[in-house]
Structure formats: structure tokens, C-alpha cells
């Protein structure tokens, strides 16, 4: 169940061997979505310039506010910017201080445990009124494979990494199955609120209503995950969603135009964005061997064989069974645009995919791009003889192999 909480991460995407873009949106966008369903949050306003941050902070003069870098990554508070600023979340004491923080955050890259060393660009900040909770809870709505449907996961130990809580005290996690069609009943929601230990009947009522409405968003908007951490109970007895993370199913883009219009491609790997335009399943990795393969299973096996021989793949790339010479050429362009790539390994099994289409795309790309990187090619299956003849006649320095192990060994050797 808790593995589902990590589905939006890049490692899970790579392991699933397919480019499923579980869309994430910024915190300020999540707050707006929550508010549109009547779910209470601290008042929050986004700013995209230091001057805007100054004006927004003036609106919170009576309560004070918190400024948060809007970057699609966890661990923002413990991260650091490439300009030296420590932390992506700060308490603000004055409008002038808000402007100062914003000037250092906007346009800089925030580096957290989830972004990798390159970090991610911060294009906006969110300023939120200070509402200090007396107790913090955790709540999430997601799909649970074991149960075969949606569940609401909750804990009275919020404001921290929920997986650490689950590891230390599994009994602290309460999982409530949700009827897909009807959602949570008021009785179920109130029962969960009582189990969590809210301090007053009024707070229990507010929490229960939040649980019910969170599932309504989940279903209405084709979400894959809604995570509220923390869900705060304030000293005056109210319950607020203090932080929110959403994930949405990319297969629902055709009917969730308003949600997918919120996508921020500046937070994504540019090569992956380019690949999506051509329906290429591409995930950038950190190695030096570019891979172009057809079929997710063969792509994973190719990466494993490279690793077995001491190599590191620079990417996962499945061109699929319906690739044309044009899409193969684009895939090749994406591979050679990575300066880390020292050799390219093309491993094709021609079932639905025709080997001659691959050969044509590769030859065209190699000629146009004046390829300098060693190119190792293994083609088996449909139109294999024709493809090999095309490569032979091309006059290009393309190194052909029939044996997978031998091809992988040479790809590793030439990538040194």
C-alpha cells in the first residue's frame, strides 16, 4: 500500500518500464483545487516576482506568513538553492523580508534529496498565512492494489515522513477502504476522525467533511494520489489542510483538460518532454551508454545486460512497435543530444517493428548529425536481411552484432 505513495517518483517510473506521466501540480495550484471543493486551507497566494511577493506579504501583515518555493519535489524545507540560500521554506517577519527571500528563490534552482544534484528551477513562490497547528495529522487518498480500490490512509502522526512512521509503528497507520461509487459515508468519516483523536466534536465534524470531499476530488479529477501532510488542528478548534500534493492519471488527460493545463514542463527533464511529443517512451538516466530498443521488456533486459558487463545506461528508450523512420530519427537525436553518451547501443527484435525502418531512421540521423559516437547495432527479426544490407551500403561506421552479450560488451568497452 505505501509503495503507492511513491508512484509519482522518477525511480518508480523507471522501474515500471514505461513513461507514465502521473502529473503533479504545484502546491499553490493544489490549494486552489482544494478551495474550489470547499476544503479549508490557510489563505495562500502565489507570486512570480519579488515585487509581487512584497505586495502579497502586506496582506498577511496581521498574521505573518510563510514563503514556500514552488518546485515539484519533496524535502523543500531541508533543501538548498544553487545560489547558496538554505531552505525552500521560511517564516517571513515583514513584507521586505518576503521580497528578499523571493529575489533569492525565483530564478534559482532548488536542490533537494528528490531532485538530484541538478536541482529544479523555482519560477514562483507561495505565501501562506501563519496558522500554527496544535496537532498535525496525515491523510492520503490513493488506489490500493491489495484491496482493489481506493483507500483513505490516515495517521495521527503527521508532519513527518509517513513511511518512517509506518516502519516504526505500523499500528499508527489507519487504512479505510472507500466505496468507489458512493465514496465515504458520513458515519465512516466521523468514525475515522474519532480514531485519530481530534480534540473536539467540532474538529471531528470538520475533519470528516474534509475526508469526504478529498475523495470527491480524487474521483472527479482522476487523481492517482492526494496527500495532505500535515492536516492541522489549530488551537481554536479548526482543521486545515496545511500542505497538499496531487498526482493525476495521464490516461485521463483527454477529459481533464483543466487539470493538465496546469502542467509545468520547466519541472521536467527537457529530453523527456521532447520524447513525449513523438510518443516515445523515454526516461533519462545517469549512465554513458545510449539505448534505443523496441519493447519495454527487451529495453529492461538490455539495460540489465549492460549493467552485467559493467556499463551504465544513459536512458530507458522504447520506440514501440509502431515506430516509423521519422520517430526513430527523433529518438536518435534525443540520444546524441546528451553529452554524457559515449556509445549508443541499438537492440531491435523485429516482430511488429520492422528492422529496415530502424535502419533507415538510424542511417538518416547518423548522416544528418555527423555522428561521432560509436554505434553498436543488433537487429533480429522482420526485414533483418534488408536492414543489414542497408547498413552495409551506408558506408557509415556502424558496428553490427548478432549476439546480445557480445554487443553489450562492446557497447560498454567503447563507452569508456
Amino acid at each position: 500500500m505505501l509503495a503507492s505513495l511513491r508512484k509519482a517518483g522518477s525511480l518508480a517510473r523507471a522501474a515500471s518500464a514505461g513513461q507514465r506521466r502521473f502529473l503533479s501540480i504545484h502546491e499553490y495550484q493544489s490549494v486552489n483545487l482544494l478551495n474550489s471543493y470547499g476544503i479549508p486551507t490557510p489563505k495562500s497566494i502565489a507570486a512570480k516576482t519579488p515585487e509581487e511577493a512584497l505586495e502579497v506579504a502586506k496582506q498577511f501583515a496581521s498574521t505573518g506568513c510563510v514563503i514556500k518555493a514552488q518546485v515539484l519535489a519533496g524535502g523543500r524545507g531541508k533543501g538548498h538553492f544553487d545560489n547558496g540560500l538554505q531552505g525552500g521554506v521560511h517564516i517571513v517577519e515583514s513584507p521586505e523580508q518576503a521580497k528578499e527571500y523571493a529575489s533569492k528563490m525565483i530564478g534559482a534552482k532548488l536542490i533537494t534529496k528528490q531532485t538530484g544534484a541538478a536541482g529544479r528551477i523555482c519560477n514562483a513562490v507561495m505565501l501562506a498565512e501563519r496558522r500554527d497547528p496544535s496537532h498535525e495529522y496525515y491523510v492520503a487518498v490513493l488506489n490500493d492494489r491489495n484491496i482493489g480500490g481506493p483507500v483513505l490512509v490516515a495517521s495521527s502522526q503527521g508532519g513527518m515522513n509517513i513511511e518512517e512512521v509506518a516502519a516504526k509503528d505500523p499500528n499508527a497507520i489507519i487504512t479505510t477502504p472507500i466505496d468507489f461509487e458512493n465514496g465515504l459515508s458520513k458515519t465512516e468519516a466521523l468514525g475515522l476522525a474519532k480514531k485519530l483523536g481530534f480534540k473536539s466534536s467540532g474538529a471531528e465534524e470538520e475533519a470528516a467533511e474534509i475526508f469526504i470531499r478529498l475523495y470527491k476530488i480524487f474521483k472527479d479529477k482522476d487523481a492517482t494520489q492526494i496527500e495532505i501532510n500535515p492536516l492541522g488542528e489549530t488551537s481554536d478548534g479548526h482543521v486545515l489542510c496545511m500542505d497538499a500534493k496531487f498526482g493525476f492519471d495521464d490516461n485521463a488527460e483527454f477529459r481533464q483538460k483543466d487539470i493538465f493545463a496546469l502542467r509545468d514542463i520547466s519541472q521536467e527533464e527537457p529530453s523527456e518532454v521532447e520524447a513525449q511529443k513523438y510518443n516515445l517512451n523515454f526516461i533519462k538516466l545517469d549512465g554513458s551508454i545510449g539505448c534505443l530498443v523496441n519493447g519495454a521488456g527487451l529495453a529492461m533486459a538490455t539495460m540489465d545486460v549492460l549493467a552485467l558487463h559493467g556499463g551504465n545506461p544513459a536512458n530507458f528508450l522504447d520506440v514501440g512497435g509502431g515506430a516509423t523512420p521519422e520517430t526513430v530519427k527523433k529518438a536518435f537525436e534525443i540520444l546524441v543530444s546528451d553529452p554524457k553518451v559515449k556509445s549508443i547501443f541499438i537492440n531491435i527484435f523485429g516482430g511488429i517493428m520492422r528492422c529496415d525502418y530502424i535502419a533507415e531512421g538510424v542511417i538518416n540521423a547518423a548522416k544528418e548529425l555527423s555522428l561521432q559516437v560509436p554505434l553498436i547495432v543488433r537487429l533480429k527479426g522482420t526485414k533483418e536481411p534488408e536492414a543489414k544490407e542497408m547498413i552495409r551500403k551506408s558506408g557509415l561506421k556502424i558496428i553490427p552484432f548478432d549476439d546480445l552479450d557480445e554487443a553489450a560488451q562492446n557497447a560498454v568497452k567503447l563507452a569508456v
Side-chain angles (χ1 to χ4, degrees), residues 52-272:
E52 285 182 15
L54 174 69
E55 295 304 315
V56 169
K58 290 178 180 178
Q59 300 180 38
F60 298 120
S62 60
T63 62
C65 65
V66 177
I67 187 169
K68 298 182 176 184
Q70 296 302 282
V71 171
L72 292 179
R76 290 174 296 167
K78 296 181 179 179
H80 64 279
F81 286 88
D82 58 357
N83 59 13
L85 177 65
Q86 296 295 312
V89 179
H90 291 273
I91 294 173
V92 171
E93 303 295 344
S94 68
E96 290 72 27
Q97 190 179 33
K99 181 180 179 181
E100 181 183 354
Y101 275 128
S103 68
K104 294 178 180 178
M105 292 180 175
I106 296 172
K109 287 185 176 180
L110 179 62
I111 300 159
T112 78
K113 61 183 180 181
Q114 289 189 5
T115 65
R120 287 186 186 156
I121 191 73
C122 175
N123 293 317
V125 296
M126 186 184 82
L127 292 99
E129 66 174 331
R130 288 184 63 181
R131 295 291 298 272
D132 297 326
S134 60
H135 191 85
E136 294 180 336
Y137 303 84
Y138 173 94
V139 61
V141 182
L142 48 88
N143 288 310
D144 189 308
R145 287 181 180 231
N146 294 326
I147 289 174
V151 295
L152 192 147
V153 180
S155 175
S156 61
Q157 299 181 36
M160 60 187 78
N161 187 322
I162 193 62
E163 291 178 359
E164 292 179 5
V165 174
K168 293 178 182 177
D169 185 8
N171 293 327
I173 307 295
I174 302 171
T175 302
T176 304
I178 302 173
D179 183 284
F180 178 80
E181 288 295 335
N182 301 315
L184 277 175
S185 68
K186 189 62 177 286
T187 301
E188 289 173 321
L190 275 173
L192 176 58
K194 290 180 185 296
K195 287 180 183 178
L196 289 171
F198 286 91
K199 296 183 177 65
S200 67
S201 59
E204 288 175 353
E205 287 281 345
E206 289 187 18
E209 192 61 33
I210 288 173
F211 300 156
I212 292 168
R213 295 186 184 191
L214 284 175
Y215 179 69
K216 182 168 176 54
I217 301 178
F218 183 85
K219 185 180 177 185
D220 287 354
K221 299 299 183 182
D222 290 300
T224 56
Q225 170 189 314
I226 302 175
E227 184 180 51
I228 309 297
N229 190 21
L231 178 72
E233 183 178 12
T234 62
S235 56
D236 58 358
H238 291 292
V239 181
L240 301 172
C241 294
M242 299 289 194
D243 196 354
K245 293 179 183 176
F246 280 80
F248 301 93
D249 189 346
D250 60 340
N251 290 311
E253 182 174 1
F254 72 98
R255 66 183 180 198
Q256 299 293 351
K257 301 295 186 184
D258 58 333
I259 294 295
F260 279 79
L262 302 176
R263 180 187 176 197
D264 182 358
I265 62 172
S266 74
Q267 301 294 296
E268 302 176 33
E269 169 59 43
S271 57
E272 294 184 15

